[in-house]
């Protein structure tokens, strides 16, 4: 009986340690907080693009990973692509922008 409590406490500590370690970010994956931050940046970029009438934003996909925003999809011209990149760079939380937009 005296061993049950220490063993239970040890097992609980091990389970908690593994749970916390599983949520930690790595170079290629995000932790929970990073994922939420990137979701907020993505939403802000989409809203900023929607606010620009010269950009056909419904054809642009926005993906964010650790503050790096990737724009992909189709635009009508190089000017529209540049405008999308410029608008994206103004959004708080954006560290860099990858322009993978295709002129159609």
């Amino acid at each position: 009986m005296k061993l049950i409590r220490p063993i239970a406490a040890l097992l609980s500590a091990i389970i908690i340690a593994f749970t916390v370690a599983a949520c930690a970010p790595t170079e290629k994956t995000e932790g929970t907080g990073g994922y939420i931050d990137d979701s907020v940046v993505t939403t802000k970029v989409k809203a900023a693009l929607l606010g620009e009438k010269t950009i056909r934003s419904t054809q642009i996909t926005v993906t964010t990973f650790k503050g790096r925003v990737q724009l992909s999809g189709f635009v009508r011209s190089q000017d529209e692509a540049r405008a999308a990149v410029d608008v994206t760079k103004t959004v708080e939380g954006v560290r860099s922008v990858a322009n993978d937009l295709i002129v159609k």
Side-chain angles (χ1 to χ4, degrees):
M1 283 294 194
K2 290 183 179 181
L3 284 177
I4 292 176
R5 277 194 176 160
I7 291 172
L10 177 64
L11 288 175
S12 295
I14 290 170
I15 290 170
I16 290 170
F18 279 118
T19 302
V20 170
C23 293
T26 65
E27 188 175 313
K28 295 185 179 182
T29 62
E30 289 183 297
T32 306
Y35 177 76
I36 292 170
D37 292 345
D38 283 343
S39 296
V40 170
V41 171
T42 298
T43 302
K44 287 180 179 180
V45 169
K46 287 180 179 181
L49 291 173
L50 278 171
E52 288 294 319
K53 300 301 176 198
T54 60
I55 300 172
R56 194 171 55 177
S57 58
T58 58
Q59 298 293 310
I60 298 174
T61 301
V62 179
T63 308
T64 308
F65 181 72
K66 294 188 177 184
R68 180 183 178 271
V69 177
Q70 178 182 7
L71 301 177
S72 57
F74 300 99
V75 291
R76 294 173 286 216
S77 67
Q78 278 300 116
D79 288 338
E80 187 177 358
R82 270 191 294 277
V85 170
D86 290 343
V87 167
T88 300
K89 287 180 179 178
T90 66
V91 174
E92 183 181 345
V94 173
R95 293 185 183 173
S96 65
V97 180
N99 179 2
D100 293 330
L101 296 168
I102 299 169
V103 177
K104 190 174 175 185

